[in-house]
Amino acid sequence: MGGAFLGMGGSSSTGGSNGGSSGRGGASGGVVTCTFGGLLVDAQPLSSYTESGITVLPTAGSWQARTGYGNPAPFIEFIASATGEVRVTAGGSAFRFVSVDLYSSVTTIPYVFTGQMGSTKMFSVSGTVPGTFGNFATVASANAGDLIDTLVIDLTNGVGQNPMGLDNVRLIM
């Protein structure tokens, strides 16, 4: 399991760490979190969302806003027995992936995190979060030191009509 499973619950901690990493340009600031706080219409289909310089673009699955629940509310989800995928970017800037909160109503959460710098794959990590029973589980990146410009998050939903989603995408920019 490449990411560190930190736990589940109804509250979030975005951290205040400066992430202090030196590297090839950029990504040495503090942790920046995309909370999806600007999503105001429940069940509205998500085509793209930008917050705090972080853009989340659904590329597979029918993602939608859920304003009545989250870690804290709102969050984004898809409902189907399929793969849901989003691409995370930071306006063309490099960043480091810190963690994301994953959710499933009744199933485990198989995931793949893929980090890219340009056309080069920097890492691909897969794992499975145990059943969260409707809560959120923070999954920390095992590759938080790697500088990337695109993060792909794939979630596999093996049960029809099971809500599965994510909240609080944390990056160092």
Side-chain angles (χ1 to χ4, degrees), residues 32-34 36 46-58 76 86-92 95 149-153 169 171 173:
V32 178
T33 304
C34 176
F36 301 99
L46 186 72
S47 57
S48 180
Y49 179 78
T50 300
E51 177 185 330
S52 301
I54 301 169
T55 298
V56 177
L57 175 68
I76 61 172
V86 296
R87 288 188 177 273
V88 179
T89 58
F95 60 88
D149 62 14
T150 303
L151 170 67
V152 179
I153 300 173
V169 179
L171 309 178
M173 299 170 48

Side-chain angles (χ1 to χ4, degrees), residues 12-173:
S12 76
S13 171
T14 58
S17 157
N18 69 6
S21 54
S22 60
R24 303 177 328 231
S28 62
V31 175
V32 178
T33 304
C34 176
T35 65
F36 301 99
L39 298 175
L40 305 175
V41 179
D42 194 48
Q44 180 175 5
L46 186 72
S47 57
S48 180
Y49 179 78
T50 300
E51 177 185 330
S52 301
I54 301 169
T55 298
V56 177
L57 175 68
T59 52
S62 297
W63 290 84
Q64 62 183 354
R66 296 311 307 204
T67 60
Y69 196 66
N71 194 30
F75 80 111
I76 61 172
E77 74 173 6
F78 68 101
I79 303 174
S81 59
T83 297
E85 179 182 279
V86 296
R87 288 188 177 273
V88 179
T89 58
S93 296
F95 60 88
R96 299 183 197 295
F97 170 49
V98 176
S99 66
V100 64
D101 296 346
L102 301 181
Y103 165 88
S104 176
S105 181
V106 297
T107 66
T108 60
I109 309 168
Y111 65 85
V112 178
F113 302 147
T114 304
Q116 299 172 277
M117 179 57 92
S119 60
T120 303
K121 184 187 293 185
M122 302 302 288
F123 62 83
S124 184
V125 176
S126 62
T128 301
V129 175
T132 63
F133 306 104
N135 290 305
F136 285 81
T138 299
V139 180
S141 173
N143 299 84
D146 291 347
L147 198 59
I148 58 176
D149 62 14
T150 303
L151 170 67
V152 179
I153 300 173
D154 284 302
L155 305 178
T156 302
N157 193 353
V159 177
Q161 302 307 306
N162 175 60
M164 183 173 278
L166 60 91
D167 202 354
N168 301 313
V169 179
R170 296 174 192 89
L171 309 178
I172 296 173
M173 299 170 48

